[in-house]
Amino acid sequence: MTTKVRIKYEKKGQLRFLSHLEVKRVLERAVKRAGMALEYSHGFNPRPKMIYGTASSVGLASEAEFVDLVLTQPQSPVEVIKRLNRALPPDIKATVAMELPPGAKPVMAIAAASRYRLSCRGSSPDAIGEALAKLAGQAGYVISRQKLDRVKHIDVGPMILDYEPPHQAGSDVELDICIKDTTEGSAKPREVIEALNAFFGLDVDLVMAVRTAVLTKKNEKLISVL
Amino acid sequence: MDDLSFKIEKLLGQVSKPARYINSEINAIHKDWDTAWLKTVLIYPDIYDVGLPNLGLQILYGIINSREGWVAERAYLPWLDMIELMRAGDVPLFSLESQRPLMDFDVIGITLQHELTYSNIVHILSLAGIPRFSVDRDSSHPLIIGGGPAAFNPEPVADFFDAFIIGEAEDAIIEFLSVCEASAGSRQQLLEDLVKIPGVYIPSFYQPVYKDGRFAGIKKVNDQAPDRVTKRVIDDLDRIDIPTRPIIPYIDVVHDRSSVEVMRGCTRGCRFCQAGMIYRPLRERSPAKVKDAVESIIETGGYDEISLSSLSSADYSPIEALLEELSPLMVKDHVTISLPSLRVDSFSIELAARLSQVRKSGLTLAPEAGTQRLRDIINKGVTDDDIEAAATKIFTQGWQKLKLYFMIGLPGETQEDIIGIANIARKIRHLAFDILPKKQHSRIAIIVSVSNFAPKPNTPFQWFGCNSMDELLSKQDLLKDELRLSHVKFKWHDAEQSMFEAALARGDRRLGLVIADCADNGQILDAWSDYFSYQRWGEAFARAGYDIEQLATAGLADDDALPWAHIDCGVSVDWLLEEKSRAMTGEATPDCREECSGCGLCPDLGLKNMVGECR
């Protein structure tokens, strides 16, 4: 009988520059080093069964990344966190673990939005707040994303679900923003800033973006996963 | 965060694969800088992806860091986008662990694995803001030292280095750094102290002599220096700790596995093979030590694959018993054990079959030459029957993919030998179709990989030149025609790159200026075919009055002065000459396990061949 444990972990410091694939390998090796009894896939090239949450882009720090582990025997979530953290590099850290009920859907399938904390420079909190008020929810502010040889057009406004008024925090302007996370696509924090600069005449420099939560819909309300 | 670290972090958001420059890899060693008194940085002169897996540097990293007060950090050549940003932003080349400029270190150790990294060395020094030529440095600069297999002819890069350690450095590095640690005097004084250590070569203590534009010998200009520098050898491998805490990279590196070295040296004596000569004599590690190491690597690393490395691991005498002991680990910990090189015989294939219980990928065999006559010339003791038997076993065991390694341009080669390569490929293809069940036929793949012979110093073939460019190209063309067969893929090595390697491998000290000049003209990353430029190298050689092809193809007379003659790899020149003439008559030289052929190494270095009797 296998059990599934959902892990919430953070990714910060220089390790925010790891790609999703690189993070996966870090976790896979940590699980091995931690000596955890994971279920393996069959075939010529068996891999531990681990189900990852939505990929976060290179450079984005996060306090809300997810991975589900399929264990061959039940283990207390506290023990799982302890063992994992002993095997992980310091800038990736498991923070919460929870045993999943049978049939629980993966994070990827239930994620509806992500909340971010952005630190910016170059414009005042008021100027950013005014521009955001015009952008949020409004269609027509389209920016393009180059991916290899394809160009994707992203209508940024409708992706912004919600935000807190920006405020000064030391030398940076801090801003909390909630962006839609759908299977059809999403906007990156960097792209929101890009739209502010392109359509509202700002000159904002994004210093750091942190994902603070992944949200899922429950009874028509958005709540945090774990 | 200090200023440099802040600058580096800014760059990470703008470059490809930023994880190449991140220092928190599992098992990286971060020692306290302020309380340390001897700081070294070890460099593989290519990018992180290629350099990180290098076992030699991992061994030295462990040895140096295990001493109190000594620090060993790592640095690599950054990728081109990073180099550009560093130059634009005035960021000097930095070490990974403490992110300090290389100028802050006492000693910089650079491994010389092959000639295609030489232009990178010039870039590394220039990115670090360190004068590239040793004559322009003094005790205010780090001491630049080199080692590794290509240091057996250090002359083409001799002007860049203050010192070399020739041979195996596990003991010598401690002696060397102890002298550095105690030194308070001038650079010259330090070098004079260092030269007393066996195996240490100080290039500035020797002066090459040229006559009519040709290298004519080397003259000692410092009385302290030995006439010949004899390589260092570790008498007993069990004395040397196996690195069991391998650094785990974040990025996908070239060899994504950990290795445990089971033995050093090879007894087979292939006449073209430099490794087979310079790593003599054969020394095996005890299987108990190997097993312990594999177990701790599984615990500390989390790698999926552990390679039992050596020049020919199927020749490791206790290999069967060792694999027997390791097989429960493979199942329990989901680890693959691999042997990097297989012999052409069915014993090797049986070993491989046993290892693939977890994973099954393709196999590689290296017959090296297409006919028995040419294999006798190169002393590759493999017969047509051996090749057939090995291939039969491979397909019987169920593999559908087989890679074959050959070399062209060997001394004494004729058209018949080239056709012979195609004949072997055809025969093996035939066997595959005969043996494998019909429904697997579509997956059959025979890959014929052909490289070009380039003479290497300290081998019986060092006196032969390469084939000319035209000859190599026409041989490649012939093979392209002959191997136009379904399920057979022909891969060949770039002839220009081989030509260049050969010109440098046997080069003398005058090539240092050519390397610096070409690097200044933008040449970098020669091991990467996208960046290697034969034309740019040709121009740089021409500016100094040389021709790459002429240097590469030149045959040397038996009594010609050799630029590396003052570096003693243990094998005697007389024996190399005997081997050369035996090659010409196709006379076999036995494996040292069977009979000593008197290469002179063991008695001269006070060693004993572990598996055979020395003459």
Side-chain angles (χ1 to χ4, degrees):
Chain A
M1 213 15 221
T2 59
T3 56
K4 257 190 207 166
V5 173
R6 176 159 298 164
I7 312 279
K8 181 181 184 180
Y9 64 93
E10 54 181 38
K11 178 183 81 154
K12 52 182 198 194
Q14 289 196 343
L15 292 198
R16 72 179 193 276
F17 292 109
L18 297 192
S19 70
H20 189 55
L21 211 72
E22 288 159 359
V23 172
K24 277 169 133 175
R25 205 171 24 221
V26 168
L27 290 167
E28 222 176 87
R29 284 187 172 143
V31 160
K32 265 195 154 173
R33 265 198 310 277
M36 301 219 285
L38 245 75
E39 178 83 349
Y40 269 71
S41 65
H42 300 283
F44 278 157
N45 193 4
R47 309 240 51 101
K49 284 199 180 165
M50 298 168 77
I51 303 124
Y52 298 88
T54 37
S56 62
S57 47
V58 173
L60 176 73
S62 180
E63 294 162 0
E65 298 295 297
F66 297 91
V67 60
D68 299 343
L69 309 180
V70 183
L71 300 171
T72 52
Q73 59 208 42
Q75 251 188 78
S76 91
V78 181
E79 181 63 22
V80 170
I81 289 199
K82 244 204 266 169
R83 289 173 73 169
L84 253 185
N85 281 341
R86 268 203 301 267
L88 281 167
D91 283 344
I92 292 183
K93 206 173 126 202
T95 51
V96 185
M98 190 186 87
E99 201 176 309
L100 290 178
K105 286 186 182 157
V107 173
M108 190 98 93
I110 57 169
S114 286
R115 188 168 285 141
Y116 299 94
R117 186 173 61 242
L118 312 186
S119 306
C120 322
R121 278 177 203 176
S123 292
S124 71
D126 289 350
I128 296 174
E130 263 170 51
L132 258 177
K134 290 179 196 152
L135 173 66
Q138 242 354 280
Y141 298 113
V142 179
I143 61 140
S144 51
R145 179 195 296 173
Q146 184 83 34
K147 200 172 182 188
L148 297 177
D149 52 349
R150 283 181 309 138
V151 177
K152 204 174 163 190
H153 297 287
I154 293 151
D155 195 351
V156 177
M159 295 291 175
I160 303 173
L161 293 178
D162 183 13
Y163 65 92
E164 301 275 317
H167 63 275
Q168 195 73 36
S171 55
D172 298 343
V173 176
E174 226 170 67
L175 158 69
D176 268 23
I177 187 166
C178 183
I179 303 176
K180 228 192 239 178
D181 228 350
T182 66
T183 39
E184 301 94 71
S186 176
K188 296 176 177 171
R190 177 164 41 81
E191 291 164 341
V192 173
I193 301 295
E194 205 182 316
L196 292 178
N197 290 339
F199 301 108
F200 300 93
L202 298 187
D203 190 18
V204 179
D205 187 14
L206 179 62
V207 180
M208 172 82 86
V210 185
R211 172 144 68 194
T212 53
V214 171
L215 306 173
T216 181
K217 254 198 185 117
K218 199 168 184 188
N219 305 328
E220 292 308 301
K221 274 171 79 179
L222 285 175
I223 59 155
S224 178
V225 175
L226 276 199
Chain B
M1 201 187 292
D2 65 34
D3 198 39
L4 181 59
S5 297
F6 185 76
K7 278 187 180 171
I8 294 167
E9 186 150 335
K10 271 232 117 97
L11 299 184
L12 293 185
Q14 305 168 51
V15 296
S16 57
K17 289 205 197 174
R20 281 178 182 135
Y21 316 104
I22 295 177
N23 61 16
S24 62
E25 308 116 301
I26 294 281
N27 294 337
I29 301 171
H30 295 258
K31 286 184 86 171
D32 183 43
W33 183 271
D34 295 324
T35 55
W37 55 83
L38 185 77
K39 288 123 179 175
T40 69
V41 57
L42 301 174
I43 299 184
Y44 189 102
D46 205 312
I47 61 168
Y48 179 97
D49 318 34
V50 179
L52 181 102
N54 182 268
L55 192 57
L57 287 185
Q58 284 185 39
I59 293 172
L60 296 180
Y61 184 75
I63 289 177
I64 300 170
N65 276 321
S66 70
R67 312 273 297 198
E68 199 200 333
W70 293 11
V71 166
E73 302 198 350
R74 294 163 296 142
Y76 305 92
L77 181 74
W79 187 246
L80 299 170
D81 54 358
M82 185 67 159
I83 292 181
E84 205 176 301
L85 290 169
M86 287 167 69
R87 288 210 167 112
D90 234 355
V91 175
L93 187 59
F94 53 90
S95 68
L96 276 187
E97 282 81 354
S98 65
Q99 297 197 318
R100 277 168 207 276
L102 297 197
M103 263 302 273
D104 289 2
F105 289 83
D106 301 308
V107 178
I108 297 180
I110 302 179
T111 182
L112 303 174
Q113 293 293 316
H114 56 77
E115 295 78 16
L116 297 174
T117 58
Y118 289 175
S119 62
N120 299 343
I121 295 172
V122 178
H123 289 285
I124 282 169
L125 293 175
S126 107
L127 279 168
I130 297 170
R132 58 182 59 156
F133 293 119
S134 59
V135 286
D136 298 324
R137 298 192 293 257
D138 56 36
S139 56
S140 70
H141 297 103
L143 188 78
I144 314 282
I145 69 171
F152 280 88
N153 177 17
E155 291 307 292
V157 288
D159 285 341
F160 305 132
F161 287 85
D162 300 304
F164 293 90
I165 296 176
I166 307 298
E168 296 166 353
E170 285 96 338
D171 292 338
I173 193 72
I174 297 176
E175 298 160 30
F176 190 100
L177 294 178
S178 300
V179 169
C180 295
E181 180 181 35
S183 155
S186 66
R187 174 67 37 106
Q188 183 67 18
Q189 185 57 52
L190 173 61
L191 296 179
E192 289 191 3
D193 292 339
L194 287 171
V195 83
K196 293 177 191 138
I197 302 170
V200 170
Y201 170 51
I202 308 289
S204 58
F205 289 176
Y206 301 80
Q207 184 78 55
V209 181
Y210 307 102
K211 215 168 138 191
D212 307 325
R214 277 171 64 92
F215 175 83
I218 208 148
K219 196 174 82 209
K220 221 166 61 170
V221 292
N222 188 304
D223 293 340
Q224 310 284 327
D227 294 337
R228 291 187 85 201
V229 179
T230 303
K231 76 163 178 185
R232 293 294 292 264
V233 184
I234 300 300
D235 51 349
D236 176 6
L237 286 192
D238 280 343
R239 210 158 57 63
I240 303 299
D241 287 338
I242 305 176
T244 50
R245 304 186 70 86
I247 293 172
I248 314 292
Y250 291 119
I251 64 164
D252 205 357
V253 295
V254 288
H255 300 299
D256 201 16
R257 55 177 178 241
S258 183
S259 12
V260 175
E261 191 186 22
V262 294
M263 64 180 186
R264 261 181 219 176
C266 174
T267 51
R268 303 203 157 236
C270 297
R271 292 176 178 132
F272 57 85
C273 179
Q274 189 186 40
M277 301 294 153
I278 63 176
Y279 289 111
R280 284 172 182 229
L282 184 93
R283 287 143 296 151
E284 295 186 331
R285 233 177 200 129
S286 68
K289 293 246 178 196
V290 173
K291 186 181 174 233
D292 286 351
V294 169
E295 279 173 344
S296 5
I297 286 175
I298 292 172
E299 234 167 79
T300 60
Y303 268 109
D304 296 330
E305 184 180 338
I306 297 174
S307 159
L308 301 179
S309 72
S310 77
L311 293 171
S312 176
S313 298
D315 286 334
Y316 178 60
S317 359
I319 187 77
E320 285 190 280
L322 175 65
L323 292 182
E324 201 62 54
E325 291 222 41
L326 293 180
S327 65
L329 298 178
M330 293 166 62
V331 180
K332 179 169 114 330
D333 297 306
H334 301 279
V335 175
T336 310
I337 305 285
S338 64
L339 301 177
S341 46
L342 288 176
R343 290 182 334 218
V344 185
D345 60 23
S346 44
F347 173 74
S348 297
I349 310 307
E350 272 161 32
L351 291 179
R354 209 145 89 193
L355 292 174
S356 67
Q357 48 186 273
V358 180
R359 190 184 308 178
K360 212 157 212 174
S361 52
L363 285 189
T364 302
L365 296 179
E368 309 286 4
T371 62
Q372 192 62 55
R373 186 191 63 85
L374 192 53
R375 285 195 296 273
D376 288 343
I377 288 180
I378 64 177
N379 202 40
K380 181 88 187 178
V382 163
T383 64
D384 285 333
D385 287 346
D386 292 333
I387 299 171
E388 205 167 312
T392 304
K393 194 109 204 172
I394 285 170
F395 300 126
T396 315
Q397 293 283 352
W399 274 285
Q400 297 137 356
K401 200 173 147 189
L402 171 60
K403 194 169 178 183
L404 298 164
Y405 266 127
F406 293 98
M407 220 183 277
I408 57 171
L410 286 160
E413 186 180 68
T414 66
Q415 173 122 343
E416 202 183 309
D417 302 302
I418 308 295
I419 304 282
I421 294 174
N423 288 341
I424 291 174
R426 269 193 288 267
K427 191 186 271 166
I428 284 178
R429 175 178 178 271
H430 214 88
L431 281 172
F433 279 99
D434 275 355
I435 295 166
L436 288 163
K438 224 182 183 121
K439 64 174 199 277
Q440 290 179 17
H441 284 186
S442 64
R443 286 199 293 263
I444 291 173
I446 314 294
I447 297 141
V448 182
S449 179
V450 174
S451 64
N452 311 307
F453 165 73
K456 293 283 184 182
N458 302 303
T459 63
F461 283 0
Q462 64 184 358
W463 290 278
F464 292 106
C466 299
N467 276 179
S468 71
M469 193 70 105
D470 286 345
E471 284 171 292
L472 283 179
L473 293 179
S474 77
K475 287 174 182 177
Q476 289 178 348
D477 282 343
L478 179 59
L479 281 173
K480 279 178 214 171
D481 279 343
E482 290 283 329
L483 292 172
R484 208 163 282 145
L485 298 164
S486 65
H487 302 276
V488 173
K489 195 170 172 199
F490 173 46
K491 287 185 178 171
W492 61 94
H493 193 83
D494 181 20
E496 293 180 336
Q497 225 170 14
S498 310
M499 206 59 74
F500 167 72
E501 261 186 277
L504 276 188
R506 295 189 304 170
D508 61 51
R509 208 178 276 193
R510 292 173 293 185
L511 291 186
L513 282 173
V514 178
I515 294 165
D517 173 34
C518 201
D520 288 341
N521 277 286
Q523 192 50 44
I524 191 167
L525 291 170
D526 288 305
W528 300 73
S529 52
D530 286 355
Y531 299 99
F532 172 75
S533 166
Y534 191 62
Q535 195 195 335
R536 199 188 274 147
W537 275 112
E539 287 162 9
F541 273 78
R543 279 194 290 278
Y546 309 117
D547 180 84
I548 298 179
E549 192 168 346
Q550 204 186 331
L551 293 174
T553 56
L556 303 176
D558 290 359
D559 57 356
D560 271 346
L562 303 172
W564 53 93
H566 56 302
I567 305 295
D568 176 13
C569 75
V571 173
S572 79
V573 178
D574 289 343
W575 183 80
L576 290 176
L577 279 168
E578 282 168 35
E579 273 296 285
K580 181 189 156 210
S581 53
R582 278 195 284 268
M584 291 302 81
T585 54
E587 190 190 327
T589 295
D591 189 307
C592 331
R593 287 171 196 263
E594 290 156 22
E595 191 192 328
C596 174
S597 65
C599 75
L601 177 130
C602 297
D604 281 1
L605 300 188
L607 295 162
K608 204 173 144 352
N609 181 341
M610 261 182 65
V611 288
E613 279 306 307
C614 284
R615 208 158 72 188

mmCIF file of all heavy atoms in Angstrom, chain B residues 491-506:
data_model
loop_
_atom_site.group_PDB
_atom_site.id
_atom_site.type_symbol
_atom_site.label_atom_id
_atom_site.label_comp_id
_atom_site.label_asym_id
_atom_site.label_seq_id
_atom_site.Cartn_x
_atom_site.Cartn_y
_atom_site.Cartn_z
ATOM 1 N N LYS B 491 30.280 7.880 -38.084
ATOM 2 C CA LYS B 491 30.619 9.176 -37.476
ATOM 3 C C LYS B 491 32.118 9.346 -37.574
ATOM 4 O O LYS B 491 32.868 8.425 -37.291
ATOM 5 C CB LYS B 491 30.237 9.193 -36.003
ATOM 6 C CG LYS B 491 28.754 9.275 -35.747
ATOM 7 C CD LYS B 491 28.545 9.407 -34.255
ATOM 8 C CE LYS B 491 27.059 9.550 -33.929
ATOM 9 N NZ LYS B 491 26.850 9.452 -32.482
ATOM 10 N N TRP B 492 32.545 10.512 -37.976
ATOM 11 C CA TRP B 492 33.984 10.705 -38.089
ATOM 12 C C TRP B 492 34.409 11.944 -37.305
ATOM 13 O O TRP B 492 33.601 12.823 -37.032
ATOM 14 C CB TRP B 492 34.413 10.818 -39.547
ATOM 15 C CG TRP B 492 33.790 11.965 -40.265
ATOM 16 C CD1 TRP B 492 34.312 13.200 -40.430
ATOM 17 C CD2 TRP B 492 32.499 11.988 -40.908
ATOM 18 N NE1 TRP B 492 33.444 13.994 -41.135
ATOM 19 C CE2 TRP B 492 32.330 13.277 -41.438
ATOM 20 C CE3 TRP B 492 31.480 11.046 -41.078
ATOM 21 C CZ2 TRP B 492 31.172 13.647 -42.136
ATOM 22 C CZ3 TRP B 492 30.331 11.413 -41.773
ATOM 23 C CH2 TRP B 492 30.195 12.699 -42.293
ATOM 24 N N HIS B 493 35.684 11.959 -36.952
ATOM 25 C CA HIS B 493 36.215 13.070 -36.177
ATOM 26 C C HIS B 493 36.758 14.126 -37.135
ATOM 27 O O HIS B 493 37.334 13.808 -38.156
ATOM 28 C CB HIS B 493 37.312 12.556 -35.243
ATOM 29 C CG HIS B 493 37.712 13.547 -34.203
ATOM 30 N ND1 HIS B 493 37.009 13.703 -33.031
ATOM 31 C CD2 HIS B 493 38.704 14.452 -34.168
ATOM 32 C CE1 HIS B 493 37.571 14.668 -32.325
ATOM 33 N NE2 HIS B 493 38.603 15.138 -32.988
ATOM 34 N N ASP B 494 36.576 15.372 -36.769
ATOM 35 C CA ASP B 494 37.026 16.490 -37.581
ATOM 36 C C ASP B 494 38.546 16.410 -37.822
ATOM 37 O O ASP B 494 39.340 16.428 -36.888
ATOM 38 C CB ASP B 494 36.663 17.779 -36.837
ATOM 39 C CG ASP B 494 37.079 19.023 -37.612
ATOM 40 O OD1 ASP B 494 37.286 18.902 -38.831
ATOM 41 O OD2 ASP B 494 37.197 20.099 -36.995
ATOM 42 N N ALA B 495 38.942 16.327 -39.091
ATOM 43 C CA ALA B 495 40.360 16.174 -39.434
ATOM 44 C C ALA B 495 41.166 17.416 -39.040
ATOM 45 O O ALA B 495 42.327 17.314 -38.647
ATOM 46 C CB ALA B 495 40.506 15.901 -40.935
ATOM 47 N N GLU B 496 40.541 18.573 -39.128
ATOM 48 C CA GLU B 496 41.250 19.806 -38.785
ATOM 49 C C GLU B 496 41.598 19.841 -37.301
ATOM 50 O O GLU B 496 42.708 20.229 -36.919
ATOM 51 C CB GLU B 496 40.379 21.026 -39.149
ATOM 52 C CG GLU B 496 40.186 21.174 -40.648
ATOM 53 C CD GLU B 496 39.337 22.381 -41.023
ATOM 54 O OE1 GLU B 496 38.538 22.831 -40.178
ATOM 55 O OE2 GLU B 496 39.474 22.866 -42.164
ATOM 56 N N GLN B 497 40.632 19.402 -36.489
ATOM 57 C CA GLN B 497 40.878 19.384 -35.047
ATOM 58 C C GLN B 497 42.019 18.414 -34.710
ATOM 59 O O GLN B 497 42.879 18.715 -33.885
ATOM 60 C CB GLN B 497 39.597 18.978 -34.312
ATOM 61 C CG GLN B 497 39.296 19.852 -33.116
ATOM 62 C CD GLN B 497 37.911 19.578 -32.547
ATOM 63 O OE1 GLN B 497 37.275 18.575 -32.865
ATOM 64 N NE2 GLN B 497 37.424 20.467 -31.698
ATOM 65 N N SER B 498 42.038 17.257 -35.377
ATOM 66 C CA SER B 498 43.100 16.267 -35.121
ATOM 67 C C SER B 498 44.462 16.821 -35.513
ATOM 68 O O SER B 498 45.462 16.622 -34.817
ATOM 69 C CB SER B 498 42.863 14.985 -35.920
ATOM 70 O OG SER B 498 41.563 14.524 -35.743
ATOM 71 N N MET B 499 44.484 17.502 -36.651
ATOM 72 C CA MET B 499 45.723 18.089 -37.161
ATOM 73 C C MET B 499 46.280 19.085 -36.146
ATOM 74 O O MET B 499 47.464 19.089 -35.822
ATOM 75 C CB MET B 499 45.363 18.806 -38.469
ATOM 76 C CG MET B 499 46.460 18.972 -39.460
ATOM 77 S SD MET B 499 47.173 17.420 -40.001
ATOM 78 C CE MET B 499 45.931 16.764 -41.064
ATOM 79 N N PHE B 500 45.388 19.904 -35.636
ATOM 80 C CA PHE B 500 45.762 20.934 -34.663
ATOM 81 C C PHE B 500 46.276 20.297 -33.371
ATOM 82 O O PHE B 500 47.308 20.693 -32.824
ATOM 83 C CB PHE B 500 44.551 21.836 -34.394
ATOM 84 C CG PHE B 500 44.705 22.725 -33.197
ATOM 85 C CD1 PHE B 500 45.561 23.812 -33.239
ATOM 86 C CD2 PHE B 500 43.993 22.472 -32.035
ATOM 87 C CE1 PHE B 500 45.707 24.633 -32.123
ATOM 88 C CE2 PHE B 500 44.141 23.286 -30.920
ATOM 89 C CZ PHE B 500 44.996 24.363 -30.971
ATOM 90 N N GLU B 501 45.555 19.271 -32.909
ATOM 91 C CA GLU B 501 45.971 18.571 -31.686
ATOM 92 C C GLU B 501 47.364 17.995 -31.838
ATOM 93 O O GLU B 501 48.187 18.068 -30.930
ATOM 94 C CB GLU B 501 45.000 17.418 -31.407
ATOM 95 C CG GLU B 501 43.954 17.725 -30.386
ATOM 96 C CD GLU B 501 43.126 16.485 -30.057
ATOM 97 O OE1 GLU B 501 42.181 16.213 -30.832
ATOM 98 O OE2 GLU B 501 43.427 15.809 -29.067
ATOM 99 N N ALA B 502 47.609 17.400 -33.011
ATOM 100 C CA ALA B 502 48.906 16.772 -33.244
ATOM 101 C C ALA B 502 50.014 17.820 -33.264
ATOM 102 O O ALA B 502 51.100 17.605 -32.722
ATOM 103 C CB ALA B 502 48.887 15.995 -34.553
ATOM 104 N N ALA B 503 49.734 18.969 -33.882
ATOM 105 C CA ALA B 503 50.759 20.017 -33.960
ATOM 106 C C ALA B 503 51.127 20.496 -32.554
ATOM 107 O O ALA B 503 52.294 20.723 -32.250
ATOM 108 C CB ALA B 503 50.253 21.183 -34.809
ATOM 109 N N LEU B 504 50.126 20.630 -31.692
ATOM 110 C CA LEU B 504 50.407 21.097 -30.338
ATOM 111 C C LEU B 504 51.022 20.012 -29.471
ATOM 112 O O LEU B 504 51.928 20.273 -28.684
ATOM 113 C CB LEU B 504 49.119 21.594 -29.678
ATOM 114 C CG LEU B 504 48.696 23.024 -29.961
ATOM 115 C CD1 LEU B 504 47.521 23.394 -29.077
ATOM 116 C CD2 LEU B 504 49.823 24.011 -29.720
ATOM 117 N N ALA B 505 50.525 18.775 -29.620
ATOM 118 C CA ALA B 505 50.947 17.694 -28.727
ATOM 119 C C ALA B 505 52.462 17.501 -28.763
ATOM 120 O O ALA B 505 53.083 17.246 -27.744
ATOM 121 C CB ALA B 505 50.241 16.394 -29.088
ATOM 122 N N ARG B 506 53.063 17.628 -29.949
ATOM 123 C CA ARG B 506 54.514 17.425 -30.049
ATOM 124 C C ARG B 506 55.263 18.755 -30.136
ATOM 125 O O ARG B 506 56.428 18.800 -30.531
ATOM 126 C CB ARG B 506 54.832 16.561 -31.274
ATOM 127 C CG ARG B 506 54.286 15.129 -31.173
ATOM 128 C CD ARG B 506 54.805 14.271 -32.302
ATOM 129 N NE ARG B 506 54.486 14.842 -33.613
ATOM 130 C CZ ARG B 506 54.991 14.400 -34.766
ATOM 131 N NH1 ARG B 506 55.836 13.375 -34.760
ATOM 132 N NH2 ARG B 506 54.646 14.962 -35.913
#
